[in-house]
Every structure is written in C-alpha cells, then in structure tokens.
Amino acid sequence: MPKAKPTQVIVHRIELQEKERELIEAVTATQTMKNLGYTAAAVGAVAVGYLGYKTLHEHYTGDEPSFYNMLSPEGRDKVREEAKENGHARTLWKLFTTPTLKGWSPF
C-alpha cells in the first residue's frame, strides 16, 4: 500500500534562555580545550619519538639522520650502490627506516 504524502509540516523548536546558552558555551569551550590538549599531546609524543630515534641513530652510526643526505652527490652514490647490492625494494625500505644508509638496525 503506498504511503500518503504529508499534508502539513510541523516544526519543533527548542528555545534556550540566556543562562542555558551560557552553560552550553562553557561546555563547548571546555570541549574545544580538551581536544586541543589531546592534539598537543600527540604532537609532543611524535616529536619526542623522532628525537629519540635521531639520537640513537647518531650514536650508533656517527651520522645525523636526514632525508636530505640523499640530495647530495655522495648521498645519491650511496643510494645507487645500495640498490645494486640489495635491490630497489630493499633500498627503498632502508631509505625510509635508515636515511643515512649506514646499515644500522636495532634488530
């Protein structure tokens, strides 16, 4: 059986007083600050992790890890030599995990 089309539209509204609006604004501001705090904590954790990796890498290899090492002529030569020895897929993986191509691995 087909459904009949509506003959009227009923609008329901919730109207707030000034005090209720102030309370909602306070809750909204609190929630915004909480979300910003979580974001700041996540960014801080990533930064600390990166600095720890960088420090350990420099300690074990003597080179500061940087993706910009690939842009120098010596860095490009290292990448070519590594690709000839170990293949392109392994070299690409090594570039992402060990930017200086020193061969350091914690495993």
Side-chain angles (χ1 to χ4, degrees):
M1 209 183 255
K3 192 172 180 181
K5 291 186 178 181
T7 57
Q8 60 182 351
V9 176
I10 300 173
V11 177
H12 296 278
R13 289 189 185 168
I14 298 174
E15 295 185 6
L16 304 175
Q17 302 292 328
E18 284 295 318
K19 184 68 174 176
E20 293 160 335
R21 285 188 187 134
E22 289 173 6
L23 290 173
I24 287 177
E25 286 177 6
V27 168
T28 303
T30 303
Q31 189 67 31
T32 301
M33 293 304 292
K34 179 177 140 187
N35 291 341
L36 288 174
Y38 286 150
T39 303
V43 168
V46 169
V48 167
Y50 172 71
L51 291 175
Y53 160 75
K54 191 173 177 181
T55 302
L56 278 174
H57 189 278
E58 189 171 353
H59 173 73
Y60 283 110
T61 64
D63 276 346
E64 182 178 352
S66 172
F67 286 104
Y68 297 118
N69 290 347
M70 297 183 292
L71 301 177
S72 68
E74 298 85 17
R76 286 192 301 269
D77 290 340
K78 282 184 186 178
V79 172
R80 284 189 195 108
E81 290 171 16
E82 185 76 23
K84 285 179 186 175
E85 292 175 13
N86 298 322
H88 295 291
R90 184 174 173 145
T91 302
L92 184 63
W93 176 252
K94 200 169 187 181
L95 280 172
F96 285 123
T97 58
T98 314
T100 56
L101 291 177
K102 279 285 200 167
W104 173 77
S105 175
F107 304 110

